[in-house]
Amino acid sequence: MAYFDAASAAPLHPIARQALLASFDEGWADPARLYREGRRARVLLDAAREAAAEAVGCRPDELAFTSSGTRAVHTGIAGALAGRRRIGRHLIVSAVEHSSVLHSAELLEAAGGSVTQVAVDRTGLVDPAAYGAALREDTALACLQSANHEVGTAQPVAAVAEVCRKAGVPLLVDAAQSLGWGPVDGGWSLLTASAHKWGGPSGVGLLVVRKGARFAAQGPVDERESGRAPGFENIPAIVAAAASLRAVRAEAAEEAARLRELTDRIRARVPRLVSDVEVVGHPVRRLPGVVTFSCLYVDGEALLHELDREGFSVSSGSSCTSSTLTPSHVLRAMGVLSEGNVRVSLPSGTAEEDVERFLAVLPRAVTAVREKLGAPVASEVVREEDVLVVDSLGKRCPIPVIELAKVIGDVPVGGLVRVLSDDEAARLDIPAWCEMRGQEYVGEEPADQGTCYLIRRAS
């Protein structure tokens, strides 16, 4: 098997495994105690904190270890908002943040606060000026990920941090995807990360609060981790996390160049090997090992199963792989095709021959899925004067798009096709199909059931 889902969880680094096993013998005692076993545990914890702080570029006393990256985000946002509650209860986030940030934003809104989502362009990039425009007198905090977890786009953190600094607003950076590759530049105030993203053990997060940033930890007071992460520290896992972070940083420059070449190869060759593919994410400002693309007329879940049978573990942002049956919020915010979405995220050490084998396997996997969907239940097609109506109610994407593609040639140039669909993914996929196929997307209108999408044949 070739594991190509490092953006979800990177394989445990050999250094992490060694440090974890070694620390079980020395790091089991309470580091707050003064007897010998406690002092040994404290030495390990302090050394790990210093190593992690050096990698982040902060002071050791600014860094706390949490039980996960998600917990670090929730604690960081809640504490920063509480620390600036006299300023106001307005939060700024980008539209493509990790769900942990967006869930914190929802909680703030439910409690009476307000949230502004900053839009991104088609590559997933935010405009620093848009953050400036979103700032208000009552803005307590702004959040921005350093790099996107689904498409790999790297954000202009330093520029956004400077905009926020001039306004006196702290910026929290979710660095989960990028910290293993290098420190986050700019004058940010808070930072979060997760060890299992860089090859450390799961269950260890980092929360950094710069000196001078107002912060009021929420929940019951606990004396551990500066009161920011209650509960007994998992010292073996923390030691392994810090050791692996130092190890991957030592390898980062060389490995980043190698993985970037491999992902550039995938980005360039997939559109030549597979028809009707959209490669998404910024072509230059992106993580070294992440490449994402979407395939027309493909069910994402079926494609993942085909690739799994061929020996490849990848992930997807397609709606058909989600229990909610809605497209990825990241792809939706970017306005790109969501159906048949595949995210390839290469872990360190990925072999070139595995990438070549993936490129050899992908075309037949896509073809197999398309063949299975090539004969869907016939659409109910009727003509209303010079308009063709396609009834795709009750059918999940990509079926509505497939049925649109089959009938677009049946109307004259300038004629309209009306597609009825009750699948939320159609709102994203039909306009994306029009852009890829050179047809005109007119818009949508309400229908008795679902939504009616209007497409004008342009060529």
Side-chain angles (χ1 to χ4, degrees):
M1 287 291 292
Y3 180 76
F4 285 179
D5 195 22
S8 292
L12 193 65
H13 194 284
I15 294 296
R17 186 182 303 276
Q18 295 173 16
L20 187 65
L21 295 175
S23 299
F24 281 136
D25 292 333
E26 297 291 330
W28 54 268
D30 187 345
R33 303 306 175 194
L34 299 180
Y35 43 69
R36 182 171 50 221
E37 293 85 356
R39 293 196 304 272
R40 288 175 180 168
R42 170 57 63 180
V43 168
L44 289 176
L45 181 58
D46 289 346
R49 196 183 313 278
E50 290 176 4
E54 180 181 6
V56 171
C58 67
R59 294 171 35 159
D61 59 352
E62 294 174 328
L63 186 149
F65 293 106
T66 67
S67 59
S68 68
T70 294
R71 172 51 59 192
V73 167
H74 292 169
T75 301
I77 292 177
L81 290 173
R84 287 172 53 82
R85 58 186 175 274
R86 292 184 179 178
I87 301 297
R89 304 183 70 194
H90 176 235
L91 173 67
I92 302 174
V93 301
S94 84
V96 294
E97 293 299 310
H98 187 268
S99 59
S100 59
V101 173
L102 299 183
H103 290 161
S104 290
E106 291 171 0
L107 189 65
L108 174 64
E109 285 186 309
S114 59
V115 177
T116 298
Q117 277 199 9
V118 175
V120 298
D121 65 17
R122 197 170 174 83
T123 69
L125 200 64
V126 303
D127 182 353
Y131 266 77
L135 291 166
R136 307 185 329 203
E137 289 186 0
D138 63 339
T139 302
L141 178 68
C143 298
L144 178 64
Q145 58 189 191
S146 56
N148 187 259
H149 49 294
E150 289 193 28
V151 300
T153 298
Q155 299 291 1
V157 172
V160 171
E162 179 60 18
V163 168
C164 292
R165 186 195 64 78
K166 289 180 178 178
V169 174
L171 176 69
L172 181 148
V173 177
D174 171 13
Q177 292 294 337
S178 73
L179 192 61
W181 298 110
V184 178
D185 295 330
W188 47 266
S189 299
L190 300 96
L191 179 142
T192 64
S194 186
H196 74 277
K197 301 292 188 180
W198 66 67
S202 58
V204 179
L206 304 183
L207 171 60
V208 179
V209 182
R210 294 281 201 192
K211 294 296 182 184
R214 294 180 182 177
F215 190 91
Q218 301 301 285
V221 176
D222 194 291
E223 68 275 10
R224 299 182 186 275
E225 295 301 305
S226 303
R228 294 169 184 165
F232 198 99
E233 297 95 341
N234 185 348
I235 294 177
I238 288 172
V239 169
S244 57
L245 180 56
R246 174 177 286 176
V248 299
R249 279 293 189 81
E251 308 159 353
E254 181 178 352
E255 189 62 11
R258 197 181 70 84
L259 292 184
R260 193 174 294 280
E261 190 281 326
L262 293 177
T263 53
D264 284 344
R265 190 181 309 184
I266 296 172
R267 288 180 65 89
R269 287 175 56 184
V270 164
R272 298 201 297 263
L273 294 169
V274 181
S275 63
D276 298 311
V277 165
E278 181 179 15
V279 180
V280 301
H282 200 282
V284 178
R285 294 182 58 97
R286 57 188 175 84
L287 293 169
V290 177
V291 57
T292 305
F293 54 89
S294 300
C295 309
L296 272 175
Y297 320 133
V298 170
D299 178 283
E301 185 174 5
L303 181 54
L304 262 58
H305 286 315
E306 286 288 337
L307 291 171
D308 184 53
R309 280 192 286 269
E310 294 282 359
F312 293 96
S313 302
V314 298
S315 64
S316 172
S318 290
S319 60
C320 49
T321 64
S322 168
S323 60
T324 62
L325 301 182
T326 58
S328 150
H329 72 278
V330 172
L331 301 179
R332 187 169 62 246
M334 293 168 62
V336 297
L337 183 69
S338 73
E339 68 185 51
N341 179 260
V342 173
R343 180 187 68 185
V344 174
S345 48
L346 307 178
S348 295
T350 296
E352 180 181 0
E353 51 265 32
D354 284 339
V355 171
E356 287 297 326
R357 189 166 63 88
F358 174 79
L359 291 170
V361 162
L362 181 66
R364 66 172 178 263
V366 172
T367 298
V369 175
R370 283 176 172 168
E371 286 178 349
K372 293 176 183 176
L373 296 173
V377 176
S379 305
E380 182 182 334
V381 179
V382 298
R383 285 189 177 276
E384 297 177 354
E385 300 176 355
D386 59 345
V387 177
L388 195 89
V389 180
V390 178
D391 186 350
S392 291
L393 294 171
K395 300 171 185 177
R396 289 171 53 189
C397 278
I399 298 301
V401 183
I402 292 174
E403 296 179 337
L404 166 62
K406 286 182 176 181
V407 303
I408 190 70
D410 295 343
V411 298
V413 173
L416 285 176
V417 177
R418 302 174 76 237
V419 180
L420 297 173
S421 177
D422 51 7
D423 183 355
E424 180 65 24
R427 180 167 282 111
L428 189 63
D429 292 349
I430 289 177
W433 178 89
C434 291
E435 181 166 338
M436 294 174 70
R437 286 302 198 180
Q439 306 299 341
E440 180 186 352
Y441 178 66
V442 178
E444 64 178 70
E445 57 186 30
D448 291 340
Q449 296 183 60
T451 302
C452 178
Y453 301 92
L454 280 71
I455 302 90
R456 176 173 285 110
R457 183 180 175 188
S459 60

